[in-house]
Amino acid sequence: KFSQISRSYDIVCLLGRSYRCKCRPPARDQFQEELVIRPLHSGDIYASFQFRTLWDTDFLQERQKKVSHYRLFPKSLGQVLSKFSVRELHISFTQGFWRTMQWGQPFIPSPPGAELWVWFHHTVSDVDGNWKELTNVLSGIFCASLNFIDMTNTVQPSASFKPLGLGNATDHRFLRYATLPREIVCTENLTPWKKLLPCGSKAGLAVLMKSEKLFHSSFHSQAVHIRPICQDEQCTSKAWELRQTLNVVFDHYTSGQGKKEWSLFKMFSRTLTEACPLASSSKVYVDITDNPELFELSPATHLLSRAVVLGDRRTYSVYDLTRAETFGQLRSFNLLLRWKGDNMLRPLLHAERYVAGFGLQTGEIHTVIYNNHPYRAFPVLLMDSVPWYLQLYVHTLTVTSKSRDNKPSYIHYQPAKDRHRPHLLEMLIQLPPHSMTEVTVQFERALLKWTEYTPDPNHGFYVGSSVVSALVPSMVAMSTNFTQDQPLFSSFVPVKEESSYFVRVYTEPLLVNLPTPDFSMPYNVICLTCTVVAVGYGSFYNLLTRTFQVDEPSPPLAKRLANFIRRIRGVPLLA
Amino acid sequence: MSNDFLQMHLKAVMSCLVIFLYKVHTTKAGQFFSSGHTNNWAVLVCTSRFWFNYRHVANTLSVYRSVKRLGIPDSHIVLMLADDMACNYRNPRPATVFSHKNMELNVYGDDVEVDYRGYEVTVENFLRVLTGRLPPSTPRSKRLLSDDRSNILIYLTGHGGNGFLKFQDSEEISNMELADAFEQMWQKRRYNELLFIIDTCQGASMYERFYSPNLMALASSQVGEDSLSHQPDLAIGVHLMDKYTFYLLEFLEEVHPASQANMNDLFKVCPQSQCVSTPGHRTDLFQRDPGSVLITDFFGSVRKVEITKDTINLTSPVEPPIQRSGSGDIQIESLTYVDQLPVAEIIHQKPKQKDWHPPDGFILGLWTLILLVFFQTYGIKHLKHIF
């Protein structure tokens, strides 16, 4: 339908050129969609959707008129970018935790809950004010409680979270980072996310996104990433890129009676019938690196693509949805894969975190980072943001690798201010090869004011995930060239050098119990006190002030009559 | 004389015609514009938290579903759910909320937009939404942007008592506060007519104190009675709906946008034989007769259409191609991506110059105290050693 309209516009333009009609300007935006399916060695299936809209425009330039004609780029996000002078925006909503040891590295990492980090333009004068308004506007767009992001959980990292887009200046005063580990992700977040896509959920790969199947999974993460990127290989001009990604890990192995056999229909309860007409490319990639004998893939395809992603060269079968042959005679595309073998994927870097200690007064946070490379050491940047009510004692901070002290080469610590800002701890640690590094710090739990407790305080309070950013040495040389035809999943992080790739690992969030008062206590105290006062004091008061009077009962009727007659006669009355 | 006769005849005919036309006008057009509202809003609130209060979320979502089905768009619905049941880890069927046992009807659906959720559902936020006194940065989807021609439906469900409704197990709203909020809405002309439905224990106590005009109220039980839940589902493990809202949903499923069902039918929903409690209603503040009020006046969004034969010229939506600034400004410098982990740069990073703040009051006071004590003990003549 859309392609027909655009074709008719072209015809009208051709005809109308002689009549000087106002044709629409040549389209400077394009849309690409792709789906990558990767079987994981634990038997789960990892499906990663990426939708990218590229637009050659400038939201921030003052000399031009304000952008008002939106075609593929969603208007709500465009207005947000220009109003708040945003240079880069990354927001993700995740349900579940990514298990690096069993699943390897994700294409786009994200922590549990909601995470938002934004780089503002250097012309912004009041970054905090813009940040507060931006979180409110985004909470309305995504139906999430992002308005709970305020100064008490926002940090300004000094070395982590460098911009992923173009730019030279990296003054960290314009960066803000916040997470809400308690944030729930459900259909109400998926609905507005789907509405941002040019084809909505009516055509293309987005028809597969049925919430009943997507949320019945081990891991579900949807994200929006907006940044400026190079338009072409010479990189002389910028274009805005909007990436919407949805990563989901299905657990069909345990729920499917142990058979490693799945299809698109089984995963999503839908098959694909057409590509999005507005998309310039629409592809499905299936990871078939491990030994073709291990797989049985149908429908078969000859299109293969090799890409180096996350330091590993992998081979993918490609299905191009813009070609009608992919859909076959039934006009429906359903992928079937029967998997026979096992493969072990050892991730080179992974991290975990837990709380040690007992009682409700003190505790210890342990962050453990594993370097599984056999002979190379590499540096990692660990960023920890702890809420103010866990009072960290930084003098107890220890970093040990292989039971020896490991001194970080860079430490940035910003202490918390009660009810104002959280702790921020950033450290650059060199991880020795094939080792486990442990970072421990002791803390004390604070007693909150009684109005600051949530309605369910016995659930506990969440501490956001730690972020480990690292340049991991790669087994395979990565290409630093940037081409337009690169699959989306391998072009998210810009590659600067060939021998290592950048990766971000998130640890688990912590759930910590704070000393919780008994909220029914005031009611009980009032009842008890009033009872004691009434019974005790009341009796005492009566004893002191009560006087007794003798009161004669009224005489019976006969006596009363007799007295009455006697009074008349003038004779003395009876007793 | 024939002229006069003719004129009189003509006048009589004209007056008859006028009266005839007027009658036609009141019967068709009069009916058309009798309700006096031009837009519909709905505020649907579930005030209970925790998994065992699944039924309150299902209640609210059933009304949401009916209201959406009958035409009110998401932008005109403010949905407040105090807890998430659909994606709760205890839910055996994620992303679903069922209203009938055996999982017959999923009221959560695939197209739901919740405006206030979790900890945001508080008495303060509810009253702010009603009265419109929200902070300026609140997004549109969280506001009740009604005007004096709006018909508003307000639905509350949760745990309540005689004169109060509990919000999230930690605070409560009283019937007087609610009545005052409605009076504020009336004085600011934020509604044309308002229908208030409440499904809690002793729900009738919540509408006892209303005193603003054009309010109609329904409750699931009288003062002193408890509202009961309907049926549990053994697979999910909790009660799915409350009796009153269950029968209300059943009634609303039969209503379609052109239906002529009126409020008297709504009052008959769930009699005592089905509900065990006695539903109550209050119409004394309402100006129209309930028998002439259509269900779709509040639950639906029936738009009045005015057909015109005039043509309207639209301005061209397409802007002329934006001219990039002149050739003198071309920057040939190539742009680069930033290094994600520049180790050398990080190690040699200078500490940020923090903005200088004047010393805090506490520090100033402390220094003043120290100086005072010093001069008191040693005398003022030592001042000359300082200056």
Side-chain angles (χ1 to χ4, degrees), chain A residues 362-421:
Chain A
T362 54
E364 222 174 86
I365 299 182
H366 289 243
T367 311
V368 185
I369 312 174
Y370 296 88
N371 175 4
N372 291 325
H373 201 286
Y375 51 84
R376 289 279 300 272
F378 53 87
V380 298
L381 187 60
L382 170 68
M383 185 184 101
D384 242 318
S385 161
V386 180
W388 63 268
Y389 40 80
L390 295 187
Q391 294 152 343
L392 296 181
Y393 288 108
V394 182
H395 73 280
T396 57
L397 176 69
T398 58
V399 184
T400 44
S401 311
K402 289 183 170 169
S403 47
R404 269 183 304 142
D405 224 7
N406 183 349
K407 190 160 163 0
S409 27
Y410 169 78
I411 302 186
H412 170 74
Y413 175 62
Q414 193 185 50
K417 214 165 157 184
D418 273 5
R419 299 176 181 88
H420 262 277
R421 46 158 208 255

Side-chain angles (χ1 to χ4, degrees), chain B residues 6-62:
Chain B
L6 253 169
Q7 272 186 3
M8 222 171 60
H9 198 71
L10 212 65
K11 274 195 196 131
V13 167
M14 287 300 287
S15 51
C16 274
L17 205 66
V18 163
I19 293 168
F20 176 70
L21 281 173
Y22 180 69
K23 262 206 136 81
V24 166
H25 178 80
T26 42
T27 44
K28 283 215 158 95
Q31 248 180 16
F32 202 59
F33 291 110
S34 66
S35 65
H37 73 278
T38 57
N39 54 79
N40 284 79
W41 286 81
V43 179
L44 310 172
V45 184
C46 161
T47 60
S48 306
R49 173 167 276 278
F50 304 123
W51 174 245
F52 50 82
N53 290 321
Y54 182 102
R55 58 189 189 279
H56 296 140
V57 173
N59 287 351
T60 317
L61 286 172
S62 322

Side-chain angles (χ1 to χ4, degrees), chain A residues 156-158 171-173 410 412 414 424 426, chain B residues 349-355:
Chain A
Q156 197 180 315
S158 64
D171 187 351
H172 279 259
R173 281 183 301 143
Y410 169 78
H412 170 74
Q414 193 185 50
L424 174 66
E426 275 183 277
Chain B
Q349 207 165 334
K350 282 205 185 58
K352 275 200 306 282
Q353 292 300 324
K354 279 216 211 35
D355 306 321

